Amino acid sequence: MNVEDVKILFDFTTDDEQKVDDIRRCLSMLYATRTGEQPLDREFGIDFSFLDKPLPVAKNLFAVEVVAKTQVYEPRVAVQAVTYEFEEQEGRMYPVIHLQKGDEW
């Protein structure tokens, strides 16, 4: 999965676009990194072992991983939902991560 495949949606309004851009950049890095690749913090990133699982299992494992890692590494937001969009012509699935304000906003 490429980081470009993940859509990050902020389901709230704010005037602080700089903060939103910073959060989007941090989450893009988090979601694009495989667990174990980051020196000094081997837990950083997403465990991509879900990729060889059946589709319903893979979707759930990815959603659980995104919720848990977002909570740990980006407490300014919380995952409200993880949905999926399908591109039938290309046969691809795109995760859509819906965010709300977190405890440290």
Side-chain angles (χ1 to χ4, degrees):
M1 177 174 19
N2 296 326
V3 69
E4 294 85 22
D5 293 345
V6 177
K7 293 183 181 178
I8 300 171
L9 299 178
F10 293 85
D11 293 343
F12 57 88
T13 57
T14 180
D15 294 333
D16 196 348
E17 287 301 317
Q18 194 170 28
K19 190 175 198 178
V20 168
D21 289 342
D22 182 52
I23 293 169
R24 185 183 312 275
R25 186 176 55 254
C26 292
L27 289 176
S28 293
M29 178 63 72
L30 175 64
Y31 301 152
T33 304
R34 290 180 184 261
T35 301
E37 288 183 346
Q38 182 67 37
L40 304 177
D41 189 356
R42 297 295 181 183
E43 293 299 313
F44 183 85
I46 300 295
D47 179 1
F48 282 80
S49 65
F50 65 87
L51 290 175
D52 358 347
K53 306 289 185 212
L55 185 59
V57 174
K59 287 168 46 177
N60 287 331
L61 289 174
F62 176 74
V64 167
E65 186 76 1
V66 164
V67 169
K69 295 299 176 89
T70 301
Q71 184 178 19
V72 170
Y73 291 101
E74 190 51 78
R76 296 179 288 181
V77 293
V79 176
Q80 185 175 18
V82 178
T83 60
Y84 300 89
E85 293 178 356
F86 296 91
E87 179 61 48
E88 292 180 24
Q89 292 178 342
E90 295 180 24
R92 297 188 70 184
M93 179 179 70
Y94 301 95
V96 181
I97 301 169
H98 301 266
L99 303 171
Q100 61 188 11
K101 290 181 180 179
D103 294 336
E104 295 185 19
W105 180 261

